[in-house]
Amino acid sequence: MMRDWLSAQAQARPEGAALIIGDTTLTYRALHEQTATFASRLAAAGVEQGAVVGVLLSNRLEAALAVHAAPRLGVTLALFNTRLTPAELDAQVRAAVCRILVCERDTLLAALALPSAPHVLCVDPVDDPRLTPVDRISGDSAAYCEGAIDLDAPFVMMFTSGTTGTPRGVVLTYGAFFASAMASAYRIGVLPGDRWLCVLPLYHIGGLSILLRSCLYGTAVDLWQRFDAPAITERLKATPITLISLVPTMLYRLLDDAGDAPPNLRLVLLGGAAAPTDLLERALEAGWPIATTYGLTEAASQVATALPDEVRRKPGSVGRPLIFTHVRVTNEQGRDQPPGVYGNILVRGPTLMRGYLGETPLDADAWFATGDIGYLDADGDLWVVQRRSDLIISGGENIYPAEVEQALRQHPAVADVAVVGVPSAEWGQQVGAAIVLRDPSVSVEAILAFSRTRLAGYKQPRVVRIVAELPRTASGKIQREAVINLLKVAG
Amino acid sequence: MMRDWLSAQAQARPEGAALIIGDTTLTYRALHEQTATFASRLAAAGVEQGAVVGVLLSNRLEAALAVHAAPRLGVTLALFNTRLTPAELDAQVRAAVCRILVCERDTLLAALALPSAPHVLCVDPVDDPRLTPVDRISGDSAAYCEGAIDLDAPFVMMFTSGTTGTPRGVVLTYGAFFASAMASAYRIGVLPGDRWLCVLPLYHIGGLSILLRSCLYGTAVDLWQRFDAPAITERLKATPITLISLVPTMLYRLLDDAGDAPPNLRLVLLGGAAAPTDLLERALEAGWPIATTYGLTEAASQVATALPDEVRRKPGSVGRPLIFTHVRVTNEQGRDQPPGVYGNILVRGPTLMRGYLGETPLDADAWFATGDIGYLDADGDLWVVQRRSDLIISGGENIYPAEVEQALRQHPAVADVAVVGVPSAEWGQQVGAAIVLRDPSVSVEAILAFSRTRLAGYKQPRVVRIVAELPRTASGKIQREAVINLLKVAG
């Protein structure tokens, strides 16, 4: 058993900055004290040891307090996306067996309307006869000034979003985050003066892992509720932010806004979606220290990370696995692929989840099949191509959309492209391509002629449509279902 | 079980610099391969799993190879000081139950002459009919390219030197070093480009811990066999050394030699002996980033460390304990002293040894009585005054030499002073002081008059001698036994 990380840090570095929200800075001592108060209020409101406490909060102080309060209360947190539909949220609340739900003004109505009817607590001072605002509850904060952590105990459940399919609950232990924080520090470094800007939601692994590793390091988190490019640009220029985690669309917007790299920035951890090469080149040219990462909710965030020097040498690679994390790339028979050959990405290591909610737990030494496709190059660096579910099977042949996209992108007139499998009675799937043109005078036929010189016949796009823009998610991933629908119409 | 750290790092960062000796740089891949070869040779020479392997080497490649080979061979290392007398060495070899001893040309004769007669291996190509040089043995290196580490298993034995008394064997597990590396990184930081100059012997905790934490971090060690101030100054100026561990006497000499701080140096970890305030002031003035540390062999090195900003604010303090390490200061009844009051320093945490060789093991949650005297101030920062064995008991009163020294040092004519207990038939001990004068025209009586205005009567020095220089050990500690002998003559 070890001491909860926040109380340990409150003793190791009490006056260090822990959490910055807007103009307010909380030291570790202050955050520690507020966590004790918050935990005591949840306990007084009926949260019992062993319970699953749902959290439906945006990136705000109380979300951080809930995370730090968990080991002091002895509860597991279920962190829910605040943008879920009522039906999605209800399904996740039921799956998590979550009978108490902490919400805020903006999520209150959704919480109260849930058919599963968890006990609802609100962190905002809302007058509603159905609930008591958390800050009007009084608890015994002295009883919650320290918690004991068993590294093997479950800490949080998070639901993987995915662009399709039913979300699954990922159960992560304290140990997974502890190992992840250490391996991350040993890869990208940590300095006592670090300040990490967190604009990714705390209910996503990218955001939560910033909060937890910074607590272990004794460094500061600058927490943002939403991505506001001009305001973040200003913050990066005016304050000593040394680290920021971004998804590609955010980086595009910051580059537009900020231009050259902010002076104090030591590293941009770029993840969430494969980073387009043009984005990397533009960012590196402007001096931004980009580290590309391949992360998974199931692995408590980073699996592999390439440092800026490596990104410069090999734009597109996500580098080598972190220390103590192992990656294999296998064929359909489960045998290792040779260097450079696409296959299924498998991950093993101390940061892995213990399993999906309601499914058989993973063995301690299990290889987790990520469902992602990629390859290891001769140096052992990982290249992630895409989700396995995006694989096109046409007439029995496996076709990797990324390979086709890469070939098409080499045509000078092609600005962007998405390749998907379009349903076909004859072939099962046919290769379809939605193309954004840089030069509208170039014909589809000219592009296909170019493609025929680079790709085998069975990989050639059969259904092509020129579009003004590709449909993408907020985090920059291509919405492949939407592309398929576009091409069904075209086909 | 986890993978041995070097093979893990050879996979995570194969091309990173691991070990620099003179003009040679080994990458992690190269160090990993050489370790496999070295381990296979030791095995072929008769080293069996479960054995205790003695190491009697200076700071050289093979000492590092032996350390990294241990988990691959499944052995515990006994690291011996190369400067021991034959009798001392023999006692330690027997205490460690060490039947095989790895030595070098300079330690060969001592090794072969041991009455305990361990099997001797030599890493230098020496022609001696009694032994086979290690590099002429051929082993199967493929069998030693990975080892499994159980964090609870013993890794090394080191003998605490102390200036008096019989050395005791400290048994440290892998877990102690693993925890220490992590807590050190979270206190002083780590960067992927770090390079740590190690001139402390690897058979001392200060040196060994550099080697092990750098391996876990994937950063470089620049290993030096002996302290050569001009050469090290040159190295600090010409190469990107970012960290260096020093004892006070070394820092004095580097300041004389180098003057202003080398440009790349991020931190000087200053330990091994209480740092005189004048040294700290001089170093800080010249811009050296001094971090003072309180470390113990029994705690796998750092217990508390103050960062340069803190050293500037509070020269003399060693800062707060590292995360997950706890420190108490107690009185003779075992009760916590109030802030600012001297007492016995107790330590608890995951970096602690499992016990002294041949003595009852410590409990997992035990408080270890360090034998050092100090106090915690109101901020929780630790001040280490001195070894408990230096405490003077005169007429039943406890007198802390440091307190008397501090009072005497405030006299402008006093350059340096050592206060000890001089045996006395009447009082048990009497307070004795050896004083180095800055101004030789000042009389002892003048200094004592000054002292009487600052210290209670029972703390007043009764035996005083003016000396040209205080007797110190190589690591800068005052040799109190020698001072006592000086004063016995004077008394």
Side-chain angles (χ1 to χ4, degrees), chain B residues 58-358:
Chain B
S58 57
N59 278 8
R60 54 186 288 163
L61 172 62
E62 290 79 4
L65 296 180
V67 169
H68 292 305
R72 302 192 188 184
L73 290 162
V75 300
T76 304
L77 299 179
L79 302 176
F80 300 116
N81 191 322
T82 56
R83 298 176 181 196
L84 295 177
T85 65
E88 287 170 331
L89 179 60
D90 198 57
Q92 293 185 13
V93 165
R94 282 177 202 274
V97 195
C98 161
R99 301 220 168 77
I100 195 153
L101 181 60
V102 181
C103 69
E104 61 193 6
R105 184 178 282 110
D106 288 350
T107 59
L108 177 60
L109 290 182
L112 288 172
L114 288 171
S116 47
H119 179 43
V120 173
L121 300 172
C122 185
V123 298
D124 286 315
V126 176
D127 270 319
D128 189 300
R130 290 168 293 176
L131 55 87
T132 314
V134 171
D135 65 358
R136 276 187 233 150
I137 302 167
S138 63
D140 171 19
S141 67
Y144 297 93
C145 62
E146 194 175 320
I149 285 179
D150 169 3
L151 291 178
D152 292 329
F155 180 13
V156 297
M157 299 177 195
M158 307 180 95
F159 291 79
T160 46
S161 53
T163 48
T164 57
T166 311
R168 297 156 97 185
V170 173
V171 185
L172 289 163
T173 61
Y174 288 94
F177 287 99
F178 193 75
S180 174
M182 189 196 76
S184 175
Y186 295 179
R187 174 59 50 92
I188 69 175
V190 57
L191 285 177
D194 272 341
R195 191 180 285 197
W196 203 312
L197 196 150
C198 176
V199 65
L200 306 178
L202 292 177
Y203 53 72
H204 278 176
I205 196 68
L208 181 64
S209 63
I210 293 171
L211 192 74
L212 293 171
R213 72 169 78 96
S214 298
C215 177
L216 281 162
Y217 304 162
T219 54
V221 174
D222 191 340
L223 188 66
W224 286 64
Q225 202 144 27
R226 63 186 64 82
F227 186 77
D228 174 344
I232 287 179
T233 296
E234 178 55 31
R235 192 75 154 191
L236 291 174
K237 291 189 172 172
T239 65
I241 304 282
T242 53
L243 296 143
I244 188 170
S245 294
L246 297 172
V247 295
T249 41
M250 293 175 175
L251 179 58
Y252 271 116
R253 288 162 64 190
L254 284 185
L255 284 175
D256 285 344
D257 236 77
D260 286 348
N264 298 309
L265 203 58
R266 179 160 73 73
L267 205 96
V268 175
L269 197 61
L270 185 66
T277 312
D278 72 305
L279 173 62
L280 293 176
E281 281 166 1
R282 211 183 127 198
L284 292 172
E285 214 158 281
W288 290 64
I290 306 292
T292 48
T293 187
Y294 169 59
L296 297 168
T297 304
E298 291 89 341
S301 73
Q302 297 170 68
V303 167
T305 301
L307 294 175
D309 280 353
E310 297 160 336
V311 174
R312 261 173 229 119
R313 275 201 313 275
K314 282 192 191 180
S317 159
V318 291
R320 302 180 72 94
L322 301 195
I323 190 164
F324 303 122
T325 289
H326 299 252
V327 167
R328 285 173 69 193
V329 171
T330 61
N331 64 14
E332 297 306 317
Q333 288 73 46
R335 278 195 288 273
D336 287 324
Q337 296 283 42
V341 179
Y342 291 101
N344 304 308
I345 299 175
L346 273 56
V347 174
R348 193 179 76 184
T351 72
L352 266 195
M353 65 169 176
R354 83 172 14 185
Y356 288 112
L357 201 57

Side-chain angles (χ1 to χ4, degrees), chain A residues 2-3 5 8-9 11-12 14 178 181-182 185-192 216-217 266 307 320-321 323-324 326, chain B residues 2-3 5 8-9 11-12 14 178 181-182 185-192 216-217 266 307 320-321 323-324 326:
Chain A
M2 85 197 298
R3 186 173 182 183
W5 306 336
Q9 200 57 264
Q11 185 161 78
F178 193 74
M182 190 197 76
Y186 294 178
R187 172 61 48 92
I188 68 174
V190 58
L191 286 177
L216 281 162
Y217 303 163
R266 179 159 73 74
L307 294 175
R320 301 180 73 91
I323 190 164
F324 302 121
H326 299 253
Chain B
M2 84 198 298
R3 188 174 182 182
W5 307 335
Q9 200 57 263
Q11 185 163 79
F178 193 75
M182 189 196 76
Y186 295 179
R187 174 59 50 92
I188 69 175
V190 57
L191 285 177
L216 281 162
Y217 304 162
R266 179 160 73 73
L307 294 175
R320 302 180 72 94
I323 190 164
F324 303 122
H326 299 252

Side-chain angles (χ1 to χ4, degrees), chain A residues 40-82:
Chain A
S40 72
R41 286 175 172 167
L42 292 192
V47 169
E48 289 178 347
Q49 199 178 334
V52 174
V53 176
V55 176
L56 190 64
L57 296 174
S58 57
N59 277 8
R60 55 187 286 164
L61 172 62
E62 289 79 5
L65 296 180
V67 169
H68 292 306
R72 303 191 187 184
L73 289 162
V75 300
T76 304
L77 298 180
L79 302 176
F80 300 116
N81 190 319
T82 55

Side-chain angles (χ1 to χ4, degrees), chain B residues 411-461:
Chain B
H411 190 289
V414 174
D416 205 354
V417 59
V419 169
V420 296
V422 181
S424 152
E426 190 177 356
W427 300 98
Q429 288 181 304
Q430 275 195 307
V431 179
I435 299 176
V436 180
L437 283 180
R438 195 168 269 133
D439 174 359
S441 71
V442 173
S443 70
V444 167
E445 189 40 51
I447 292 168
L448 290 178
F450 173 87
S451 153
R452 277 191 288 274
T453 66
R454 281 169 165 71
L455 293 168
Y458 72 91
K459 298 178 188 171
Q460 292 302 324

Side-chain angles (χ1 to χ4, degrees), chain A residues 422 432-434 462-467 483-491:
Chain A
V422 181
R462 304 296 166 183
V463 191
V464 179
R465 184 165 178 184
I466 305 298
V467 296
V483 176
I484 291 169
N485 289 334
L486 274 175
L487 291 169
K488 272 191 205 156
V489 176

Side-chain angles (χ1 to χ4, degrees), chain A residues 7-178:
Chain A
S7 76
Q9 200 57 264
Q11 185 161 78
R13 218 176 167 201
E15 301 308 329
L19 187 62
I20 302 160
I21 301 179
D23 298 332
T24 306
T25 298
L26 291 183
T27 62
Y28 273 98
R29 177 181 286 132
L31 184 64
H32 161 69
E33 288 167 359
Q34 294 215 22
T35 295
T37 302
F38 192 77
S40 72
R41 286 175 172 167
L42 292 192
V47 169
E48 289 178 347
Q49 199 178 334
V52 174
V53 176
V55 176
L56 190 64
L57 296 174
S58 57
N59 277 8
R60 55 187 286 164
L61 172 62
E62 289 79 5
L65 296 180
V67 169
H68 292 306
R72 303 191 187 184
L73 289 162
V75 300
T76 304
L77 298 180
L79 302 176
F80 300 116
N81 190 319
T82 55
R83 296 175 182 198
L84 295 177
T85 65
E88 287 171 331
L89 179 61
D90 197 57
Q92 293 184 12
V93 166
R94 283 177 200 272
V97 196
C98 160
R99 300 219 168 79
I100 196 155
L101 182 60
V102 181
C103 68
E104 61 193 6
R105 185 177 282 110
D106 287 349
T107 58
L108 177 60
L109 291 182
L112 288 173
L114 289 170
S116 48
H119 180 42
V120 174
L121 300 172
C122 185
V123 299
D124 286 315
V126 176
D127 269 321
D128 188 302
R130 289 168 293 177
L131 54 86
T132 315
V134 171
D135 66 356
R136 273 185 237 153
I137 301 166
S138 63
D140 171 21
S141 67
Y144 297 94
C145 63
E146 195 174 320
I149 284 180
D150 169 2
L151 290 179
D152 292 329
F155 180 13
V156 296
M157 298 177 197
M158 305 178 96
F159 290 79
T160 46
S161 55
T163 50
T164 58
T166 313
R168 295 156 96 185
V170 172
V171 186
L172 290 162
T173 60
Y174 287 95
F177 287 100
F178 193 74

Side-chain angles (χ1 to χ4, degrees), chain A residues 386-443:
Chain A
Q386 60 208 137
R387 298 289 306 170
R388 188 193 164 87
S389 53
D390 299 330
L391 187 73
I392 302 168
I393 305 177
S394 183
E397 295 280 7
N398 285 356
I399 298 153
Y400 296 100
E403 189 183 1
V404 183
E405 288 167 359
Q406 205 178 346
L408 294 175
R409 247 190 226 112
Q410 282 167 19
H411 190 291
V414 174
D416 205 354
V417 58
V419 169
V420 295
V422 181
S424 151
E426 191 178 354
W427 301 98
Q429 287 181 306
Q430 275 195 306
V431 179
I435 299 176
V436 180
L437 285 180
R438 196 168 269 134
D439 175 358
S441 72
V442 172
S443 70

